[in-house]
Amino acid sequence: MEKNRLDLSAFDLKLLAMAAMLADHIGYLFFPQALWMRCVGRLAFPIFAFQIAEGWYRTHDREKYTLRLLICAVVSEVPFDLAFSGTPVDAGYQNVLWTFCIAAAALWAMEALRRMQIPLPLAALCAGAAGYLLGEALQSDYFGPGVLT
């Protein structure tokens, strides 16, 4: 049967997001005047955010999933800081994986609240607000709105 729509797998989406992110970072570091590269790069975050949410709900071990995100955030922080601020440690701005770790923690908190019989809208509001504030406080990439995405 022939399909009439664009059918992208999770792997296809990851490749698209990685290519967009690569264009963004190359544009930022080597061609700051090429605004189009930064615009292309803006596609990466919502795709990766979608993949994080899908991964969270599909994984069999959320603890290991969150731990892997945390390990990747820690390992990538020094190269990120070197590339974007020129110093090995920049407490003023964290890479996007910290944003995704905070989002995973907010999802975890929402589920914990649901197990305590808190209605879903209130659980989502509380967990989302906490995630938003943490994203702002830690200065993670895309800040609080990125966590909510």
Side-chain angles (χ1 to χ4, degrees):
M1 183 171 158
E2 189 175 320
K3 293 184 180 183
N4 291 332
R5 61 182 175 88
L6 181 62
D7 192 15
L8 296 174
S9 69
F11 182 72
D12 295 334
L13 284 173
K14 287 176 191 173
L15 289 177
L16 178 64
M18 285 189 288
M21 184 175 62
L22 181 63
D24 181 53
H25 291 179
I26 288 172
Y28 179 83
L29 293 171
F30 302 113
F31 306 105
Q33 71 285 1
L35 185 59
W36 70 269
M37 293 180 84
R38 302 304 311 275
C39 291
V40 166
R42 301 298 96 188
L43 294 171
F45 180 79
I47 295 170
F48 281 132
F50 171 76
Q51 292 285 11
I52 292 294
E54 280 288 301
W56 171 260
Y57 284 107
R58 293 180 186 274
T59 188
H60 296 289
D61 190 338
R62 291 180 174 160
E63 189 174 313
K64 284 184 181 177
Y65 185 80
T66 305
L67 181 62
R68 284 192 306 268
L69 278 174
L70 182 60
I71 290 169
C72 288
V74 169
V75 167
S76 63
E77 187 62 30
V78 170
F80 175 84
D81 288 345
L82 284 170
F84 291 97
S85 68
T87 154
V89 177
D90 179 7
Y93 191 57
Q94 314 314 314
N95 72 62
V96 74
L97 290 168
W98 291 105
T99 305
F100 294 144
C101 284
I102 296 166
L107 288 169
W108 213 326
M110 184 179 72
E111 287 190 351
L113 291 171
R114 290 290 293 139
R115 283 192 298 275
M116 296 174 6
Q117 305 302 316
I118 305 294
L120 179 60
L122 183 57
L125 179 67
C126 292
Y132 181 93
L133 293 173
L134 193 55
E136 291 288 323
L138 294 179
Q139 300 290 291
S140 63
D141 202 7
Y142 294 94
F143 306 95
V147 173
L148 294 180
T149 300

